[in-house]
């Protein structure tokens, strides 16, 4: 059977999420994907959208928190959209990162406020550009799932920003529960300690693992 | 001076947020408003929008959490929009409620999922209706500031839903930091314990306190 793709084990090539930039991929229901923290220091802002109506139905952190009754999600959890439809299940997680759900995507306005200029690369614009590459558009920036980002809540209220604890190659594995489009941004942040703490965004990767 | 409004002390009439319904009010920069938990048991879902561009700039829980580094906000805190502009300052708070920032507005889909029928009153629709009353529209439902709602985070991750601890007449007082439109919904929830726990949404009120 050499050279013949065997359903159940076939893998697409590893795909690049360039440092400080975005990428998007459509997934069919049942397909699995691995998101890889290639260098171990990189936050990957992550969004999911219903393929048929991305502007109307999307992975929603505030709905997931409501239903799952937790601020960080675990292997086995099924994440939902703003319409309460299952969109992704977490199949595996090699990290202890907890993956922040509380903090906004970085944006042009954030870097302007921080004195980093008018045109700093940012995850909000990366989302729009990645969707545009698939001829899609949404009228706002949903709150992202910040893969590999550590922003723990202390004393029931205080948010702390911490450096990443991932090892190179750490990854999460997800299964699509609906036909969807996933968007990744190798976070452009060079200010907060969460994104490595050395001011240098780095590449990340994803790989579609065929169902 | 009897009968003459004295600037600095003038108050508009107390205005009703009917049980399970919404209301909206435009505020000019500098105006103050009081939101009153008339019966002490009612959650009031709350949104703020920039008057000039409500679909583009709005009070954002995920941006406030980022900047303030906390999941609940305090007297003296200035809340911001998704563009990092100050929109409201918390001037006073007679409660110990903490005012949830984590949980989605209730919606038609939520009640459908819970078996409460296809047309249950809900905060997401109340937002749209209240904005429509001012000939405004936004293309999505921002994550609300859930006034008077207690959904504490335990052990740094688990969300618990608790009954309200407010007294009748408890209130928060806010100052507008930009020309804005505020929207209130006396939450229609009759399922979760957070909204009184007796399955009966109740009236709330607001009052504009002139600057």
């Amino acid at each position: 059977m050499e050279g013949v793709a065997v359903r159940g084990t076939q893998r697409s090539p590893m795909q690049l999420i360039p440092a400080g930039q975005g990428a998007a991929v459509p997934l069919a229901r049942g397909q699995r994907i691995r998101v890889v923290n290639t260098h171990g220091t990189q936050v990957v802002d992550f969004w999911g959208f219903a393929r048929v109506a991305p502007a109307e139905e999307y992975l929603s952190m505030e709905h997931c928190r409501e239903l799952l009754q937790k601020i960080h999600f675990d292997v086995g959890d099924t994440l939902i959209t703003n319409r309460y439809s299952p969109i992704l299940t977490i199949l595996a997680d090699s990290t202890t990162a907890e993956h922040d759900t509380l903090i906004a995507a970085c944006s042009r306005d954030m870097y302007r406020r921080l004195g980093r200029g008018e045109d700093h690369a940012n995850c909000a614009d990366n989302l729009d550009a990645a969707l545009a590459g698939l001829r899609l558009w949404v009228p706002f920036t949903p709150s992202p799932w910040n893969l590999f980002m550590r922003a723990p809540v202390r004393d029931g209220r205080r948010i702390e920003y911490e450096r990443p604890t991932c090892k190179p190659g750490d990854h999460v594995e997800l299964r699509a529960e609906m036909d969807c489009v996933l968007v990744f941004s190798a976070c452009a942040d060079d200010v907060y300690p969460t994104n490595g703490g050395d001011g240098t965004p780095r590449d990340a990767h994803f790989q579609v693992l065929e169902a």
Side-chain angles (χ1 to χ4, degrees), chain A residues 10-142:
Chain A
Q10 187 185 354
R11 295 185 178 189
S12 73
M14 192 73 79
Q15 295 183 67
L16 178 66
I17 313 167
Q21 299 181 47
V25 65
L27 278 196
R29 181 179 173 178
Q31 276 189 302
R32 293 176 297 125
I33 192 165
R34 181 175 289 182
V35 188
V36 183
N37 197 346
T38 314
H39 297 277
T41 56
Q42 182 62 41
V43 167
V44 177
D45 284 43
F46 177 91
W47 293 269
F49 299 90
R51 182 104 67 103
V52 292
E56 287 159 34
E57 185 164 10
Y58 51 89
L59 172 65
S60 168
M61 294 297 101
E62 58 264 33
H63 289 81
C64 290
R65 286 190 297 257
E66 179 213 328
L67 196 67
L68 297 169
Q69 282 192 243
K70 45 187 161 181
I71 61 170
H72 303 134
F73 311 137
D74 298 300
V75 170
D77 285 342
T78 293
L79 309 185
I80 59 170
T81 69
N82 61 316
R83 307 286 313 268
Y84 292 88
S85 301
I87 180 168
L88 292 164
T89 296
I90 307 175
L91 297 179
D93 183 353
S94 72
T95 81
T96 56
E98 298 206 308
H99 313 296
D100 169 72
T101 76
L102 303 175
I103 304 300
C106 67
S107 62
R108 193 174 294 238
D109 293 301
M110 186 191 95
Y111 293 109
R112 184 183 296 126
R113 185 184 67 80
L114 293 169
R116 297 295 173 124
E118 294 293 311
D119 288 312
H120 196 292
N122 65 84
C123 290
D125 285 348
N126 289 347
L127 166 63
D128 292 345
L131 286 176
L134 298 175
R135 298 173 183 270
L136 297 173
W137 176 80
V138 295
F140 66 104
T141 306

Side-chain angles (χ1 to χ4, degrees), chain A residues 180-207:
Chain A
C180 59
V181 170
L182 304 183
V183 180
F184 317 88
S185 173
C187 181
D189 180 79
D190 49 13
V191 182
Y192 282 100
T194 43
N195 198 33
D198 64 354
T200 307
R202 289 186 166 77
D203 294 343
H205 291 82
F206 70 89
Q207 183 175 33

Side-chain angles (χ1 to χ4, degrees), chain A residues 138-190:
Chain A
V138 295
F140 66 104
T141 306
S143 204
W145 191 24
N146 293 310
L147 293 176
F148 313 116
M149 174 168 162
R150 298 179 70 228
V153 173
R154 308 288 189 205
D155 309 323
R157 59 186 287 118
R158 189 167 38 89
I159 295 174
E160 291 188 357
Y161 298 122
E162 299 190 351
R163 298 180 74 143
T165 54
C166 293
K167 303 177 296 295
D170 263 347
H171 56 269
V172 295
E173 203 174 300
L174 308 168
R175 181 180 62 225
E177 302 296 350
M178 64 166 60
D179 293 348
C180 59
V181 170
L182 304 183
V183 180
F184 317 88
S185 173
C187 181
D189 180 79
D190 49 13

